[in-house]
Amino acid sequence: MYRINENYLKLPGSYLFSNIGKKVAAFSEAHPEAPIIRMGIGDVTQPIVPAIVEALHKAVDEMGHAETFHGYAPDQGYEFLRTAIAKNDYQARGCDISADEIFVSDGAKCDSGNIQEIFGPDVKIAVCDPVYPVYVDTNAMAGRTGTYDARTETWSNVVYMPCTEATGFSPELPKETPDLIYLCFPNNPTGAVLTKDQLQKWVDYANREGAVIIYDAAYEVYITEENVPHTIFECEGARTCAIELRSFSKNAGFTGLRLGATIIPKDLKCGETTLHSLWARRHGTKYNGAPYIVQRAGEAVYSDAARAQLKEQIEYYQKNARTIYQGLKDAGYSVSGAVNSPYIWLKTPDQMTSWEFFDFLLEKANVVGTPGSGFGPSGEGYFRLTAFGTYENTVEAIERIKRI
């Protein structure tokens, strides 16, 4: 008789945002008249900008003619997009990254979950706490996180790096040496960042200890402070210890189009084996590539017209973030984030648990956010709101919260 992967049975409950969706659906069914404002999941609301829509239309037209039709994409993605990424996101910042070190995908979420496949089953991972749940859950599915303790909400074989108010919501170097270190900055969920000097310490640590950093840079476009790096490859030595995940979802609104990239320098090796070659093998075997029309849309992101239009869009979300931050602060909440991030991280009032505050906010204000405990044990007592709604809904949500 067949057997299932019993590691899935070790996972606690459903995926965080699936749980939220179910709770909101149940509330809506019971209160169909309630005007719910959603500030939970990090999904954008502004439409694709005109310059990118134009590129999409052009690519669709090409698919309708034999001489310009495109079938399967190249394993690593079309060279026109990889070259644009290398030139604009890396070489323009003085980073030594070439087009053939870039793998185009359908998004950073998939890559952050799949990247662990090229590592051994017994590697030990380290994660920030709180953290984006995909990092831990996918390693749990692979059987490398040990046993789950429901009381502490931790896995026995995971190194947790607490990101608390005392640490400025940034991690400290772990006392126990891991093999894989997941870093996400600007951070999801707290909105915290690392300065270049702080990130350089992590690069030096990884090279010294023989660890690999999986660096999630999905939110780099929201960085406003000059001393905060937009990519880990701004740090000296990162080519020998880091893999970077990039996304077009938050910088260009591609949550519905799906496009991302993973950057693996050829200098990153385990013995004589390059991790680049392993990911290339995995990518070619299990993935057929992002659609041609979407990759052309990705290329258009770097055009002068799109840059100007996207700048306005990012400023729109940043205005929302400032509105949430200031509104909550005026209402007496302890808040952080927003400066370099579309996320606002707030302390729950009156010693409520994260889920108690979720229920309270949904019932009293009809506003949906994300309980901090869903991101890890150090997230308990905190709550995340996103700035990706409309400005009108953002203002209305804050007014509702102030009234309760």
Side-chain angles (χ1 to χ4, degrees):
M1 183 178 177
Y2 68 86
R3 296 179 61 189
I4 62 171
N5 180 350
E6 295 187 0
N7 293 312
Y8 278 71
L9 303 180
K10 300 176 184 178
L11 292 165
S14 301
Y15 180 55
L16 171 61
F17 295 104
S18 298
N19 275 340
I20 291 173
K22 290 174 183 176
K23 288 178 76 73
V24 175
F27 181 85
S28 294
E29 185 175 352
H31 307 277
E33 77 290 347
I36 294 175
I37 297 177
R38 301 171 188 269
M39 302 173 74
I41 193 168
D43 194 4
V44 297
T45 55
Q46 296 300 296
I48 301 296
V49 299
I52 297 174
V53 171
E54 182 180 348
L56 280 167
H57 280 299
K58 181 180 178 182
V60 168
D61 289 340
E62 289 179 26
M63 296 295 281
H65 301 280
E67 61 272 20
T68 52
F69 172 79
H70 289 79
Y72 290 126
D75 283 355
Q76 282 189 235
Y78 287 101
E79 186 174 353
F80 62 77
L81 177 57
R82 291 186 288 111
T83 297
I85 294 171
K87 177 182 177 181
N88 292 280
D89 291 335
Y90 295 99
Q91 294 164 10
R93 296 188 180 279
C95 304
D96 181 21
I97 295 295
S98 60
D100 65 355
E101 294 175 314
I102 296 170
F103 296 81
V104 176
S105 72
D106 59 356
K109 177 180 181 180
C110 294
D111 286 353
S112 66
N114 293 329
I115 194 67
Q116 48 82 24
E117 289 188 25
I118 66 174
F119 298 97
D122 58 347
V123 299
K124 185 179 285 288
I125 70 166
V127 296
C128 295
D129 173 29
V131 72
Y132 183 44
V134 171
Y135 309 151
V136 175
D137 286 2
T138 52
N139 277 281
M141 292 171 180
R144 61 169 64 92
T145 55
T147 57
Y148 183 72
D149 185 335
R151 182 181 60 82
T152 61
E153 298 182 313
T154 59
W155 294 89
S156 62
N157 201 40
V158 173
V159 177
Y160 290 90
M161 303 180 292
C163 300
T164 64
E165 188 175 5
T167 67
F169 299 107
S170 295
E172 297 178 341
L173 295 176
K175 295 180 176 61
E176 180 181 4
T177 305
D179 302 298
L180 296 182
I181 303 168
Y182 287 81
L183 296 179
C184 174
F185 291 99
N187 184 258
N188 177 11
T190 67
V193 294
L194 295 181
T195 65
K196 185 175 181 179
D197 287 345
Q198 288 174 320
L199 185 56
Q200 184 67 57
K201 291 179 181 179
W202 284 93
V203 171
D204 294 343
Y205 172 85
N207 278 320
R208 184 170 65 248
E209 300 296 337
V212 174
I213 296 173
I214 310 296
Y215 193 77
D216 188 343
Y219 301 94
E220 63 83 23
V221 74
Y222 290 91
I223 293 172
T224 61
E225 296 178 314
E226 291 186 5
N227 63 337
V228 177
H230 287 254
T231 166
I232 195 170
F233 297 114
E234 291 182 43
C235 294
E236 184 178 352
R239 285 185 57 86
T240 56
C241 71
I243 294 172
E244 185 161 284
L245 311 176
R246 305 287 287 207
S247 171
F248 284 77
S249 289
K250 305 306 190 294
N251 69 331
F254 279 31
T255 54
L257 287 179
R258 307 306 307 147
L259 190 65
T262 290
I263 292 79
I264 307 185
K266 293 182 179 179
D267 295 346
L268 180 54
K269 298 180 180 181
C270 180
E272 294 303 312
T273 303
T274 65
L275 299 193
H276 183 281
S277 65
L278 297 184
W279 187 244
R281 186 68 170 87
R282 192 266 173 204
H283 214 56
T285 301
K286 291 191 173 185
Y287 185 61
N288 266 340
Y292 170 74
I293 60 174
V294 176
Q295 293 199 44
R296 279 298 187 192
E299 178 191 33
V301 167
Y302 300 101
S303 68
D304 290 341
R307 285 178 187 272
Q309 293 162 6
L310 289 170
K311 185 175 184 292
E312 291 184 9
Q313 195 169 88
I314 297 305
E315 288 174 349
Y316 180 93
Y317 293 133
Q318 288 174 325
K319 180 180 178 181
N320 285 352
R322 293 192 298 270
T323 298
I324 298 168
Y325 180 93
Q326 193 59 52
L328 291 175
K329 191 172 181 180
D330 291 345
Y333 286 86
S334 175
V335 290
S336 59
V339 177
N340 297 291
S341 168
Y343 295 126
I344 293 81
W345 189 242
L346 64 127
K347 189 176 292 187
T348 59
D350 303 325
Q351 296 185 319
M352 289 186 190
T353 68
S354 298
W355 281 105
E356 286 173 346
F357 188 65
F358 174 90
D359 292 333
F360 174 77
L361 211 58
L362 180 58
E363 180 180 346
K364 301 297 184 182
N366 301 154
V367 171
V368 177
T370 307
S373 61
F375 297 103
S378 291
E380 181 55 86
Y382 288 89
F383 204 75
R384 192 193 76 175
L385 293 175
T386 80
F388 288 122
T390 66
Y391 178 70
E392 293 74 19
N393 278 351
T394 298
V395 171
E396 172 63 21
I398 297 306
E399 288 304 314
R400 292 184 193 178
I401 293 173
K402 285 181 176 180
R403 289 196 295 265
I404 59 176

